[in-house]
Amino acid sequence: MLSVRAQEMDKKYLSSITSKEQIDVNKEGIYCLDRWDDWGFFIDGVKCFVWNFKYHTKIMLPYFHHYHYWITEVLKCVVSPSTYEYFPYDDEYLCNVSLFFREERYCLICCPPYYKKWVKVRLYDYSRLVDAVTFCNGEKICTLFQDGKLGTIQMIPEITTSTCLSTFTFRAPTDVSALYRNRHLVSWQDQLFLVQRKVGSPSIFEVWEADFETKQFNRVFNLEGFIIFLSGQFSAATYSSLPQENNNIYFTQCNDHRTLYVFHVGDQSLSTTKQFRICSSHNSFPLFDRSGRAKIRHNTSIAEDKLKRRPSGIKSKPAPVVSNICIHISLDLQSEISRYLISQEAYMSFRLVCKLWRSVAPPLRWKVVVDGDAAPSYDQDSMWLLSLNQKDGLCTFYNPFRNFNCYMSNNDLVGCEIRYAKDGWLLVSKGKSLFLLEPSPSPSRKQIIHLPQKRYDYLCDIMSFSASPTNSSEWVIFGIALLNVFQVRISYLRQGDDRWTCITRDSEVPFLLSSSSPVYFSEEFCVIGQNGDVGVFGFKDRTPYWIIHELFQQYSPRIYGACRLFLVQHDQNVLHSVVVTPQHDVHVYELDFGSNIIVKIVKEVKNWLFFTSEASSVAVCGMNVNVDNAVFFPTFNTCNDYTYYSLEDVAFKVLKDNCTDKTQQKELLNRVWIRCELTGN
């Protein structure tokens, strides 16, 4: 217990390092590393301090050797609330500052009441730190490490030299050998979330909530009243009641702080948005602000009175029900009604009413199209966009030309993820298991080929196969994982192999995988990188090889920022790359890997339609629809109308009325295009 004299001296010290002054936070040489509420932590040359944006209170922090290198060495700065009040003002609370470094196995913490020193807290020795976040209103700081270990630092009642990192008894659901585009701990009120997105396909965000009672993480598909912001190492959550913001993750990509993306957790869609502004200077972490007049409310819980309707005492006699409504509706009208049953439950209930309604709302039958025997044209019912509900294995087939959904339940797909689709077959993963599946509503017609177990817990970022088992007796399955920008791990399985072959190959130039699956072209697997380069894997005399074609300098316009890239095989001898910019401009290029590598922009693909997604790409010629020379993505506008990109009009268009679409586009992730045919029962 400090004496009265010691307390007075401490207060005098705090008064000596405290001042009231205006600060230009955008001034060159001043760096803001983090902000909580009204408090921010700044480095200015050889000085560091905390500053209150509201009251303009500046508190100098103690010197620590080499802290002029902190700007580049700090992995994460966490400014968190403290229970201590600043003594001249009863309503002004102080803050804690915690610094976590890229290479050091300790963190530094400076805290009230007097900010006298930086305290070292030891972290794990054998695992790299990934993220740290304040939790439980500043009572703790939670840490996440590369191997999935979690730890906490108890901030209350105070930080001392004996403070240490406490370990969790359970780990985060993260893959040790996988590379991630994003991996963050996010706290919201008394909840802790892990938000992560891997390199490769599907490029979706996974949201997991920590359950401290059962000591496990549970997958979350509904954020229930709050939204998440991510940028670099920065993460935050805030309350939102606006319907257009519900269940969203807002984030920036690469070093582009001008474009704000939004991922909708429910329908797993990706788009850009202007709902928020990104306020970021050259020397500060990004801040987000609404573009409209509504203000963001942080960490607020609203208690609303819920009105309960009381049942009236009047009992009315139910109206008589017509036992068979089918006889009063024409067959054409019944068929038209079925086309507007968007939800899965409504469509399936419709088919259960009677035999007649089952005939006008048919299930999906598969007719695999083999290229060698392909018909000269296909009607509007031959191309479908497939999405999978992992919880119950229900497959939704969407026809963009008729704006029509069909459904097929398949118990084999419960808990699975579709990695690639080709020739009517799906490459599917479930945990450590992989299998090829040719789905069918009839169990007797369904075909499954179970593949050998993975050799690694995390096998591949992206995968594909050369041909379907019904189309070739020498099919090959190929997968690739990025170990670092100069090294990849390649896994392949040839027909008849009893185990996966995994090899590591060096890349002569930096190569970052895009989220588009490989394409089998000219007996090689082609993989497009984020800058447009193409990696090629194949066999020469059964010996595997890996080379990279450097193409990025030949693209015009040049590829920059966070573009979406896809490969499409056009006919048997032509390979195209499709580039989608953050501004929703689309460019198609023809690639030639001959003696002279050529990248040529393509203005038209007459009589052809390109269907692309992360896990599938199909080029179809002579399709019997009133659209050609176009690229079909899994894209919809804000009115949920399907949109495609017209190369002739150089614009996205709404398919249903063929008009140019001026609204925002959203891309549905984790979907595949398939070619099949509808028939009746």
Coordinates of all heavy atoms in Angstrom, one line a residue, residues 192-253:
L192 N -16.5 -13.5 -28.2 CA -15.2 -13.5 -28.9 C -15.4 -14.3 -30.2 O -15.9 -15.4 -30.2 CB -14.1 -14.1 -28.0 CG -12.7 -14.2 -28.7 CD1 -12.2 -12.8 -28.9 CD2 -11.8 -15.0 -27.8
F193 N -15.0 -13.7 -31.3 CA -15.1 -14.3 -32.6 C -13.8 -14.5 -33.3 O -12.9 -13.6 -33.1 CB -16.1 -13.5 -33.5 CG -17.5 -13.4 -33.0 CD1 -17.8 -12.4 -32.1 CD2 -18.4 -14.4 -33.3 CE1 -19.1 -12.3 -31.7 CE2 -19.7 -14.3 -32.9 CZ -20.1 -13.2 -32.0
L194 N -13.7 -15.5 -34.1 CA -12.6 -15.7 -35.0 C -13.1 -15.5 -36.4 O -14.1 -16.2 -36.8 CB -11.9 -17.1 -34.9 CG -10.9 -17.5 -36.0 CD1 -9.7 -16.6 -35.9 CD2 -10.5 -18.9 -35.9
V195 N -12.5 -14.6 -37.2 CA -13.0 -14.3 -38.5 C -11.8 -14.6 -39.4 O -10.7 -13.9 -39.3 CB -13.4 -12.8 -38.7 CG1 -13.9 -12.6 -40.1 CG2 -14.5 -12.5 -37.7
Q196 N -11.9 -15.5 -40.4 CA -10.8 -15.8 -41.2 C -11.2 -16.1 -42.7 O -12.3 -16.6 -42.9 CB -10.1 -17.1 -40.6 CG -10.9 -18.3 -40.5 CD -10.2 -19.4 -39.7 OE1 -9.1 -19.2 -39.1 NE2 -10.7 -20.6 -39.8
R197 N -10.3 -15.9 -43.6 CA -10.5 -16.2 -45.0 C -9.2 -16.7 -45.6 O -8.2 -16.0 -45.6 CB -11.0 -14.9 -45.8 CG -11.3 -15.2 -47.2 CD -11.9 -14.0 -47.9 NE -11.1 -12.8 -47.9 CZ -10.9 -12.1 -49.0 NH1 -11.5 -12.4 -50.1 NH2 -10.1 -11.0 -49.0
K198 N -9.2 -17.9 -46.1 CA -8.0 -18.5 -46.7 C -7.7 -18.0 -48.1 O -8.5 -17.5 -48.8 CB -8.2 -20.0 -46.8 CG -8.3 -20.7 -45.4 CD -8.6 -22.2 -45.6 CE -8.9 -22.9 -44.2 NZ -9.3 -24.3 -44.4
V199 N -6.4 -18.2 -48.5 CA -6.0 -18.0 -49.8 C -6.6 -19.2 -50.6 O -6.7 -20.3 -50.2 CB -4.5 -18.0 -50.0 CG1 -4.1 -18.1 -51.5 CG2 -3.9 -16.8 -49.3
G200 N -7.2 -18.9 -51.8 CA -7.7 -20.0 -52.6 C -9.2 -19.9 -52.7 O -9.9 -18.9 -52.4
S201 N -9.8 -21.1 -53.0 CA -11.2 -21.2 -53.2 C -11.8 -22.2 -52.2 O -11.3 -23.2 -52.0 CB -11.5 -21.6 -54.7 OG -12.9 -21.9 -54.9
P202 N -13.1 -21.9 -51.7 CA -13.8 -20.6 -51.9 C -13.3 -19.5 -51.0 O -12.9 -19.8 -49.9 CB -15.2 -21.1 -51.5 CG -15.0 -22.1 -50.5 CD -13.8 -22.9 -50.9
S203 N -13.3 -18.3 -51.6 CA -12.8 -17.2 -50.9 C -13.8 -16.5 -49.9 O -14.0 -15.3 -50.0 CB -12.2 -16.1 -51.9 OG -13.3 -15.7 -52.7
I204 N -14.4 -17.3 -49.1 CA -15.4 -16.9 -48.2 C -14.8 -16.6 -46.8 O -13.8 -17.1 -46.5 CB -16.6 -17.9 -48.0 CG1 -16.0 -19.2 -47.5 CG2 -17.3 -18.1 -49.4 CD1 -17.1 -20.2 -47.2
F205 N -15.5 -15.7 -46.1 CA -15.1 -15.5 -44.7 C -15.8 -16.6 -43.8 O -17.0 -16.8 -43.9 CB -15.5 -14.1 -44.2 CG -14.6 -13.0 -44.6 CD1 -14.8 -12.3 -45.8 CD2 -13.5 -12.7 -43.8 CE1 -14.0 -11.3 -46.2 CE2 -12.6 -11.7 -44.2 CZ -12.9 -11.0 -45.4
E206 N -15.0 -17.2 -42.9 CA -15.6 -18.1 -41.9 C -15.7 -17.3 -40.6 O -14.7 -16.7 -40.2 CB -14.8 -19.3 -41.7 CG -14.7 -20.2 -42.9 CD -13.8 -21.4 -42.7 OE1 -13.2 -21.5 -41.6 OE2 -13.7 -22.3 -43.6
V207 N -16.8 -17.3 -39.9 CA -17.0 -16.7 -38.6 C -17.2 -17.8 -37.6 O -18.2 -18.5 -37.7 CB -18.1 -15.6 -38.7 CG1 -18.2 -14.9 -37.3 CG2 -17.9 -14.6 -39.8
W208 N -16.4 -17.8 -36.5 CA -16.5 -18.8 -35.5 C -16.6 -18.0 -34.1 O -15.9 -17.1 -33.9 CB -15.3 -19.7 -35.4 CG -15.0 -20.5 -36.7 CD1 -14.5 -20.0 -37.8 CD2 -15.4 -21.8 -36.9 NE1 -14.4 -21.0 -38.7 CE2 -15.0 -22.2 -38.2 CE3 -16.0 -22.8 -36.1 CZ2 -15.1 -23.4 -38.7 CZ3 -16.2 -24.1 -36.6 CH2 -15.7 -24.4 -37.9
E209 N -17.6 -18.5 -33.3 CA -17.7 -17.9 -32.0 C -17.2 -18.8 -30.9 O -17.4 -20.1 -30.9 CB -19.2 -17.6 -31.7 CG -19.4 -17.0 -30.3 CD -20.9 -16.7 -30.0 OE1 -21.8 -17.1 -30.9 OE2 -21.2 -16.3 -28.9
A210 N -16.4 -18.3 -30.0 CA -15.9 -19.1 -28.9 C -16.9 -19.3 -27.8 O -17.6 -18.4 -27.3 CB -14.7 -18.4 -28.2
D211 N -17.1 -20.6 -27.5 CA -18.0 -21.0 -26.4 C -17.2 -21.4 -25.2 O -16.6 -22.5 -25.2 CB -18.9 -22.1 -26.9 CG -20.0 -22.5 -25.9 OD1 -19.8 -22.3 -24.7 OD2 -21.1 -23.0 -26.3
F212 N -17.1 -20.6 -24.2 CA -16.2 -20.9 -23.1 C -16.8 -21.9 -22.1 O -16.1 -22.4 -21.3 CB -16.0 -19.6 -22.3 CG -15.2 -18.6 -23.1 CD1 -15.8 -17.5 -23.8 CD2 -13.8 -18.7 -23.3 CE1 -15.2 -16.6 -24.6 CE2 -13.1 -17.8 -24.1 CZ -13.8 -16.7 -24.7
E213 N -18.1 -22.3 -22.3 CA -18.6 -23.3 -21.4 C -18.3 -24.7 -22.0 O -17.9 -25.6 -21.3 CB -20.2 -23.1 -21.3 CG -20.6 -21.9 -20.5 CD -22.1 -21.8 -20.4 OE1 -22.8 -22.7 -20.8 OE2 -22.6 -20.9 -19.7
T214 N -18.5 -24.9 -23.3 CA -18.2 -26.2 -23.9 C -16.7 -26.2 -24.4 O -16.3 -27.3 -24.9 CB -19.1 -26.4 -25.1 OG1 -18.9 -25.4 -26.1 CG2 -20.6 -26.4 -24.6
K215 N -16.0 -25.1 -24.3 CA -14.6 -25.0 -24.7 C -14.4 -25.5 -26.2 O -13.6 -26.3 -26.5 CB -13.8 -25.9 -23.8 CG -13.9 -25.5 -22.3 CD -12.9 -26.2 -21.4 CE -13.1 -25.9 -20.0 NZ -13.1 -24.4 -19.7
Q216 N -15.1 -24.8 -27.0 CA -15.0 -25.0 -28.5 C -15.5 -23.8 -29.2 O -16.1 -22.9 -28.7 CB -15.8 -26.3 -28.9 CG -17.3 -26.1 -28.7 CD -18.1 -27.3 -29.1 OE1 -17.5 -28.4 -29.4 NE2 -19.4 -27.2 -29.1
F217 N -15.2 -23.8 -30.5 CA -15.7 -22.8 -31.4 C -16.8 -23.3 -32.3 O -16.8 -24.4 -32.7 CB -14.5 -22.3 -32.4 CG -13.6 -21.2 -31.8 CD1 -12.6 -21.6 -30.9 CD2 -13.8 -19.9 -32.0 CE1 -11.7 -20.7 -30.4 CE2 -13.0 -18.9 -31.5 CZ -11.9 -19.3 -30.6
N218 N -17.8 -22.5 -32.5 CA -19.0 -22.9 -33.3 C -19.1 -21.9 -34.5 O -18.9 -20.7 -34.3 CB -20.3 -22.8 -32.4 CG -20.2 -23.7 -31.2 OD1 -19.9 -24.9 -31.3 ND2 -20.6 -23.2 -30.1
R219 N -19.4 -22.5 -35.6 CA -19.5 -21.7 -36.9 C -20.8 -20.9 -36.8 O -21.8 -21.3 -36.3 CB -19.6 -22.7 -38.1 CG -19.7 -22.0 -39.4 CD -18.3 -21.5 -39.9 NE -18.4 -20.9 -41.2 CZ -18.2 -21.6 -42.3 NH1 -18.0 -22.9 -42.3 NH2 -18.3 -20.9 -43.5
V220 N -20.7 -19.6 -37.2 CA -21.7 -18.7 -37.1 C -22.1 -18.2 -38.5 O -21.3 -17.9 -39.3 CB -21.3 -17.4 -36.3 CG1 -22.4 -16.4 -36.3 CG2 -21.0 -17.8 -34.9
F221 N -23.4 -18.2 -38.8 CA -23.9 -17.7 -40.1 C -24.8 -16.5 -40.0 O -25.4 -16.1 -40.9 CB -24.7 -18.9 -40.8 CG -23.8 -20.0 -41.2 CD1 -23.7 -21.1 -40.4 CD2 -23.1 -20.0 -42.4 CE1 -22.9 -22.2 -40.7 CE2 -22.3 -21.0 -42.8 CZ -22.2 -22.2 -41.9
N222 N -25.0 -16.0 -38.7 CA -25.8 -14.8 -38.5 C -25.2 -14.0 -37.4 O -25.0 -14.5 -36.3 CB -27.2 -15.3 -38.1 CG -28.2 -14.1 -38.1 OD1 -27.8 -12.9 -38.1 ND2 -29.5 -14.4 -38.0
L223 N -24.8 -12.8 -37.7 CA -24.1 -11.9 -36.8 C -25.1 -11.3 -35.8 O -24.7 -10.7 -34.8 CB -23.3 -10.9 -37.5 CG -22.2 -11.4 -38.4 CD1 -21.4 -10.2 -39.0 CD2 -21.3 -12.3 -37.7
E224 N -26.4 -11.3 -36.1 CA -27.4 -10.9 -35.1 C -27.2 -9.5 -34.6 O -27.0 -9.3 -33.4 CB -27.6 -11.9 -34.0 CG -28.0 -13.3 -34.5 CD -28.2 -14.3 -33.4 OE1 -27.7 -13.9 -32.2 OE2 -28.7 -15.3 -33.6
G225 N -27.3 -8.5 -35.4 CA -27.4 -7.1 -34.9 C -26.0 -6.3 -34.9 O -26.0 -5.2 -34.5
F226 N -24.9 -7.0 -35.3 CA -23.7 -6.2 -35.3 C -23.0 -6.5 -36.6 O -23.2 -7.5 -37.3 CB -22.8 -6.5 -34.1 CG -22.1 -7.8 -34.1 CD1 -20.8 -8.0 -34.5 CD2 -22.8 -8.9 -33.7 CE1 -20.2 -9.2 -34.6 CE2 -22.2 -10.2 -33.7 CZ -20.9 -10.3 -34.1
I227 N -22.1 -5.6 -37.0 CA -21.3 -5.7 -38.2 C -19.8 -5.7 -37.9 O -19.4 -5.2 -36.8 CB -21.7 -4.7 -39.2 CG1 -21.6 -3.3 -38.6 CG2 -23.1 -4.9 -39.8 CD1 -21.9 -2.1 -39.6
I228 N -18.9 -6.1 -38.8 CA -17.5 -6.3 -38.5 C -16.8 -5.5 -39.6 O -17.1 -5.5 -40.8 CB -17.1 -7.7 -38.5 CG1 -17.7 -8.5 -37.3 CG2 -15.6 -7.9 -38.5 CD1 -17.5 -10.0 -37.4
F229 N -15.7 -4.8 -39.1 CA -14.8 -4.1 -40.0 C -13.4 -4.7 -39.9 O -12.9 -4.9 -38.8 CB -14.7 -2.6 -39.7 CG -16.0 -1.9 -39.9 CD1 -17.0 -1.8 -38.9 CD2 -16.3 -1.3 -41.1 CE1 -18.2 -1.1 -39.0 CE2 -17.5 -0.7 -41.3 CZ -18.5 -0.6 -40.3
L230 N -12.7 -4.9 -41.1 CA -11.4 -5.4 -41.1 C -10.6 -4.6 -42.1 O -11.0 -4.3 -43.2 CB -11.4 -6.9 -41.5 CG -12.3 -7.9 -40.8 CD1 -12.3 -9.2 -41.4 CD2 -11.8 -8.0 -39.3
S231 N -9.3 -4.3 -41.7 CA -8.4 -3.7 -42.6 C -7.0 -3.9 -42.1 O -6.7 -3.4 -41.0 CB -8.7 -2.2 -42.8 OG -7.8 -1.6 -43.7
G232 N -6.2 -4.6 -42.9 CA -4.8 -4.9 -42.4 C -4.9 -5.7 -41.1 O -5.6 -6.7 -41.0
Q233 N -4.3 -5.2 -40.0 CA -4.4 -5.8 -38.7 C -5.5 -5.2 -37.9 O -5.7 -5.6 -36.7 CB -3.0 -5.6 -38.0 CG -1.9 -6.5 -38.5 CD -2.2 -7.9 -38.4 OE1 -2.2 -8.7 -39.3 NE2 -2.4 -8.4 -37.2
F234 N -6.2 -4.2 -38.4 CA -7.3 -3.6 -37.7 C -8.5 -4.4 -37.7 O -8.9 -4.9 -38.8 CB -7.5 -2.2 -38.2 CG -8.7 -1.5 -37.7 CD1 -8.7 -0.9 -36.4 CD2 -9.9 -1.5 -38.4 CE1 -9.8 -0.3 -35.9 CE2 -11.0 -0.8 -38.0 CZ -11.0 -0.2 -36.7
S235 N -9.3 -4.5 -36.6 CA -10.6 -5.1 -36.6 C -11.4 -4.4 -35.6 O -11.0 -3.9 -34.5 CB -10.5 -6.6 -36.2 OG -10.0 -6.8 -34.9
A236 N -12.7 -4.3 -35.9 CA -13.7 -3.7 -35.0 C -15.1 -4.3 -35.2 O -15.4 -4.7 -36.3 CB -13.7 -2.2 -35.1
A237 N -15.9 -4.2 -34.2 CA -17.3 -4.5 -34.4 C -18.2 -3.4 -33.8 O -17.8 -2.7 -32.9 CB -17.6 -5.8 -33.7
T238 N -19.3 -3.2 -34.4 CA -20.2 -2.2 -34.0 C -21.7 -2.6 -34.2 O -22.0 -3.4 -35.1 CB -19.9 -0.8 -34.7 OG1 -20.8 0.2 -34.2 CG2 -20.3 -1.0 -36.2
Y239 N -22.6 -2.0 -33.4 CA -24.0 -2.3 -33.5 C -24.6 -1.7 -34.8 O -24.1 -0.6 -35.3 CB -24.7 -1.7 -32.3 CG -26.2 -1.6 -32.5 CD1 -27.0 -2.7 -32.2 CD2 -26.8 -0.4 -32.8 CE1 -28.4 -2.7 -32.4 CE2 -28.2 -0.4 -33.0 CZ -29.0 -1.5 -32.7 OH -30.3 -1.4 -32.9
S240 N -25.5 -2.3 -35.4 CA -26.2 -1.8 -36.6 C -27.6 -2.4 -36.6 O -27.8 -3.6 -36.4 CB -25.5 -2.1 -37.9 OG -26.3 -1.7 -39.0
S241 N -28.6 -1.5 -36.8 CA -30.0 -1.9 -37.0 C -30.5 -1.7 -38.4 O -31.7 -2.0 -38.7 CB -30.9 -1.1 -36.0 OG -30.8 0.2 -36.3
L242 N -29.6 -1.3 -39.3 CA -30.0 -1.0 -40.7 C -30.1 -2.3 -41.5 O -29.1 -3.1 -41.5 CB -29.1 0.0 -41.4 CG -28.9 1.4 -40.7 CD1 -27.9 2.2 -41.5 CD2 -30.3 2.0 -40.6
P243 N -31.2 -2.6 -42.2 CA -31.3 -3.8 -42.9 C -30.3 -4.1 -43.9 O -29.8 -5.2 -44.1 CB -32.7 -3.7 -43.5 CG -33.5 -2.7 -42.7 CD -32.4 -1.8 -42.2
Q244 N -29.8 -3.0 -44.6 CA -28.8 -3.2 -45.7 C -27.4 -3.5 -45.1 O -26.6 -3.9 -45.9 CB -28.8 -1.9 -46.5 CG -28.3 -0.6 -45.8 CD -29.4 0.2 -45.3 OE1 -30.4 -0.4 -44.9 NE2 -29.3 1.5 -45.2
E245 N -27.3 -3.3 -43.8 CA -26.0 -3.6 -43.2 C -26.0 -4.9 -42.4 O -25.0 -5.4 -42.0 CB -25.6 -2.5 -42.2 CG -25.3 -1.2 -42.9 CD -25.1 0.0 -41.9 OE1 -25.0 -0.3 -40.7 OE2 -25.0 1.1 -42.3
N246 N -27.1 -5.5 -42.3 CA -27.3 -6.7 -41.5 C -26.4 -7.9 -42.0 O -26.4 -8.2 -43.1 CB -28.8 -7.1 -41.5 CG -29.0 -8.3 -40.5 OD1 -28.5 -8.3 -39.5 ND2 -29.9 -9.2 -41.0
N247 N -25.7 -8.5 -41.0 CA -25.0 -9.7 -41.3 C -23.8 -9.5 -42.2 O -23.5 -10.4 -43.0 CB -25.9 -10.8 -41.8 CG -25.5 -12.2 -41.3 OD1 -24.8 -12.3 -40.3 ND2 -26.0 -13.2 -42.0
N248 N -23.1 -8.3 -42.2 CA -22.1 -8.0 -43.1 C -20.7 -7.9 -42.5 O -20.6 -7.5 -41.3 CB -22.4 -6.7 -43.8 CG -23.5 -6.8 -44.8 OD1 -23.9 -7.9 -45.3 ND2 -24.0 -5.7 -45.3
I249 N -19.7 -8.2 -43.3 CA -18.3 -8.0 -42.9 C -17.7 -7.0 -43.9 O -17.8 -7.3 -45.1 CB -17.5 -9.3 -42.9 CG1 -18.0 -10.3 -41.8 CG2 -16.0 -9.0 -42.7 CD1 -17.3 -11.6 -41.9
Y250 N -17.3 -5.9 -43.5 CA -16.7 -4.8 -44.4 C -15.2 -4.9 -44.3 O -14.6 -5.0 -43.2 CB -17.2 -3.4 -44.0 CG -18.7 -3.3 -44.1 CD1 -19.5 -3.6 -43.1 CD2 -19.2 -2.8 -45.3 CE1 -20.9 -3.5 -43.2 CE2 -20.6 -2.6 -45.4 CZ -21.4 -3.0 -44.4 OH -22.8 -2.8 -44.5
F251 N -14.5 -4.9 -45.4 CA -13.0 -5.0 -45.4 C -12.4 -4.4 -46.6 O -13.0 -4.1 -47.6 CB -12.7 -6.5 -45.3 CG -13.1 -7.3 -46.6 CD1 -12.2 -7.6 -47.5 CD2 -14.4 -7.7 -46.7 CE1 -12.5 -8.3 -48.7 CE2 -14.8 -8.5 -47.9 CZ -13.8 -8.8 -48.8
T252 N -11.1 -4.1 -46.4 CA -10.3 -3.7 -47.5 C -9.3 -4.8 -47.9 O -9.1 -5.7 -47.1 CB -9.4 -2.4 -47.1 OG1 -8.6 -2.8 -46.0 CG2 -10.3 -1.3 -46.7
Q253 N -8.8 -4.7 -49.1 CA -7.9 -5.7 -49.6 C -6.6 -5.1 -50.0 O -6.5 -4.0 -50.6 CB -8.5 -6.5 -50.8 CG -9.7 -7.3 -50.4 CD -10.1 -8.3 -51.5 OE1 -9.8 -9.5 -51.4 NE2 -10.7 -7.9 -52.6

